[in-house]
Amino acid sequence: MDVILSGMRPTGNLHLGNYFGALKNFISLQELYDCYFFIADYHLLTTHPNPQDLHQNVKTILCQYLACGLDPEKATLYVQSSVPEVAELYMFLNMNAYVGELQRVAAFKEKVRQNPNNVNAGLLTYPTLMAADILLHRANKVPVGKDQQQHLEMTRDYAERFNKMYKTDYFPLPQAFNFGDDLVKIPSLDGNGKMSKSYGEQATIYLTDEPNVLKKKIMRAKTDSGPTEKNSEKPQEIANLFTLMRSVTKAEIIQQFEDAYNDCSIRYGDMKKQLAEDMETFVAPIRERIKELAANEDYLNKVVRLGGEKARESASKTLKEVREIIGFHSF
Ligand code: TYM
C-alpha cells in the first residue's frame, strides 16, 4: 500500500501556496492510504526561533491544518520533535550526503543570499533532514509544491545510495506527488515569484485573512495597462492573476476573462473583484473553523499526543530495521 507523507514548517499562518501546493492533495489522499502529516519544528531551528514562540507556532499551525480538513482519525498527524527517531536517521543519512551536492541546492543558495551571517550546518543539511522525515515512514508519495521538487530528488538519491551501499531495497524511492500533474506553484500577488511569507506579507493571501484584508490585497495586485494587441502573450503579473483565479473560480467565468484578454476588452478591476469574491468564498469557512479550533486547546493537545504515539511506533520500527541493515546488531 502507498505511504503518503507531507509536512510544513510552522512559520506563521498558512497561505494559499501551502494549501494548493501540498495540503489539498494530501487531504484527498487521507481517505485511501497510510498517511502521515507532520509539523516540521526541527527544521525551524535553522533560523533560531525564540523558545517562547516555538510552541505557540506549532499550535497555530496545527489548528490551521485541522481547519483545512486534515482528519486525525484518518491520517497520523504529529509534531516532528515528538518523534526523535528522525534525528538518528538524519545522522545516518548525513554519512552519505556530500557537502558539494548540498551546497548546490537552490534553496540553500537562496538562504545564504538572504542571510549571509547565518549559514549553519543545519541549513546545509536541510535536505537530509527532509529525506529522513520521508524515509522514516518509508513513504513513497510526497504531496508538495513545485519549490520542493529538488529536495525530493535528493531524497530519492539518498534512498538509492543507502539501498546500494547495503545491498537492499529497504527504502522506496519517493516521488513528489500531484495526481500525475505538474507540481503546483502559486504565484505571489506582486508579480514576482512564488507566494511566500518571506517575499512580502502584502503579496501573500493567508487562510486567516479577514474579508477586507483579502480584498485590499487582491485589488492592489500588480497589473499592467492592458493588452493592446489581440491574443498577445500575458505578462507575468497577469498570468499570475489567472493562475490564482484557476484555484478558486469556476472555469466558465475564467474563460470569459480569457476571452476579454484576448480581444483586449479586459478590465483588470473587474477581474480582481471577481477573484476577491471567489477567494473570500473559499477562505471564509476555513477562517471560521480556525477560530473555533483555536479555542479548543484540549482537543489540539489530544490530537498531537495520539498522532505522536502512532508516528513513533512506525519510526521506531524503521530505525530498528535500519540499525540491523547497517550492522548494529543488539548484544
Ligand atoms: P514549507 O513549510 O516552506 O511549505 C509547505 C508546503 O507548501 C508548499 N508551498 C507552495 N506550493 C505551491 N506554491 C507556493 N507558492 C508554495 N509555497 C509553499 C511547499 O511546496 C510545501 O509543500 N521543506 C518543506 C517542509 C518539509 C517537508 C518534509 C515536506 C520538511 N520535511 C518532508 C514534505 C516532506 C518546507 O519548507 O515547506
Side-chain angles (χ1 to χ4, degrees):
M1 169 142 117
D2 282 333
V3 178
I4 319 289
L5 174 135
S6 197
M8 291 185 195
R9 293 166 305 144
T11 49
N13 294 320
L14 282 181
H15 60 68
L16 219 59
N18 299 141
Y19 183 84
F20 286 106
L23 261 175
K24 181 174 178 245
N25 271 328
F26 185 91
I27 287 165
S28 42
L29 294 166
Q30 66 184 352
E31 307 277 339
L32 305 169
Y33 300 102
D34 190 9
C35 286
Y36 294 86
F37 202 96
F38 76 103
I39 300 176
D41 56 349
Y42 277 162
H43 281 278
L44 218 55
L45 297 182
T46 57
T47 56
H48 309 156
N50 255 328
Q52 298 91 307
D53 298 340
L54 195 55
H55 189 70
Q56 193 45 51
N57 286 349
V58 168
K59 276 224 164 124
T60 302
I61 206 83
L62 169 67
C63 88
Q64 299 192 9
Y65 289 158
L66 294 165
C68 288
L70 263 183
D71 184 342
E73 302 278 322
K74 296 182 181 135
T76 301
L77 181 51
Y78 68 99
V79 182
Q80 187 183 30
S81 59
S82 68
V83 186
E85 285 81 356
V86 74
E88 189 179 355
L89 186 55
Y90 168 54
M91 186 264 294
F92 290 149
L93 295 177
N94 269 331
M95 302 300 167
N96 281 313
Y98 296 101
V99 173
E101 69 189 348
L102 290 165
Q103 282 171 329
R104 285 193 293 275
V105 175
F108 174 71
K109 288 202 270 191
E110 173 67 12
K111 289 278 188 269
V112 171
R113 207 183 50 74
Q114 284 171 356
N115 294 300
N117 299 324
N118 182 27
V119 185
N120 58 62
L123 200 59
L124 182 69
T125 56
Y126 188 105
T128 42
L129 181 53
M130 185 157 161
D133 293 325
I134 297 167
L135 300 177
L136 190 64
H137 306 291
R138 300 167 74 198
N140 58 334
K141 288 193 170 69
V142 186
V144 283
K146 198 164 180 46
D147 57 320
Q148 297 298 321
Q149 198 159 23
Q150 192 181 19
H151 286 151
L152 258 293
E153 279 162 22
M154 297 183 75
T155 302
R156 276 199 298 283
D157 288 347
Y158 295 141
E160 205 169 15
R161 235 174 254 177
F162 181 95
N163 289 350
K164 272 210 178 112
M165 173 170 268
Y166 296 108
K167 299 186 179 47
T168 168
D169 57 0
Y170 185 70
F171 286 126
L173 308 186
Q175 298 286 339
F177 182 77
N178 181 26
F179 290 106
D181 293 335
D182 283 346
L183 299 182
V184 173
K185 176 180 162 189
I186 296 290
S188 144
L189 285 172
D190 64 6
N192 290 318
K194 65 168 182 169
M195 186 172 282
S196 162
K197 208 178 151 191
S198 45
Y199 299 144
E201 293 278 324
Q202 284 314 309
T204 303
I205 296 173
Y206 294 103
L207 302 182
T208 44
D209 279 346
E210 294 293 338
N212 54 340
V213 175
L214 201 62
K215 186 159 182 204
K216 220 189 220 162
K217 284 182 183 175
I218 292 175
M219 295 312 285
R220 275 211 207 122
K222 198 171 163 214
T223 47
D224 64 356
S225 50
T228 48
E229 255 179 60
K230 285 193 174 179
N231 301 315
S232 54
E233 203 180 312
K234 299 184 184 89
Q236 191 60 52
E237 62 269 24
I238 305 303
N240 286 356
L241 274 187
F242 275 97
T243 303
L244 282 171
M245 237 188 181
R246 278 193 287 277
S247 63
V248 291
T249 299
K250 287 200 185 91
E252 59 267 28
I253 297 188
I254 300 175
Q255 193 55 50
Q256 289 167 15
F257 285 104
E258 287 278 3
D259 294 344
Y261 184 86
N262 286 332
D263 69 14
C264 304
S265 64
I266 193 159
R267 289 153 56 128
Y268 292 135
D270 292 346
M271 181 177 177
K272 290 185 198 173
K273 227 189 250 166
Q274 177 79 45
L275 179 59
E277 248 171 55
D278 294 335
M279 199 60 80
E280 168 59 13
T281 306
F282 165 73
V283 167
I286 299 180
R287 186 179 59 221
E288 296 317 309
R289 278 201 300 276
I290 292 174
K291 288 181 191 156
E292 284 162 29
L293 282 157
N296 198 342
E297 285 256 333
D298 287 349
Y299 174 66
L300 298 178
N301 291 339
K302 194 174 136 212
V303 164
V304 278
R305 224 181 19 252
L306 291 177
E309 278 168 22
K310 276 205 269 176
R312 272 199 97 166
E313 216 174 281
S314 146
S316 57
K317 179 171 178 292
T318 303
L319 262 300
K320 187 169 176 287
E321 290 164 355
V322 166
R323 279 188 218 114
E324 285 287 325
I325 292 171
I326 294 178
F328 294 118
H329 304 300
S330 41
F331 288 95

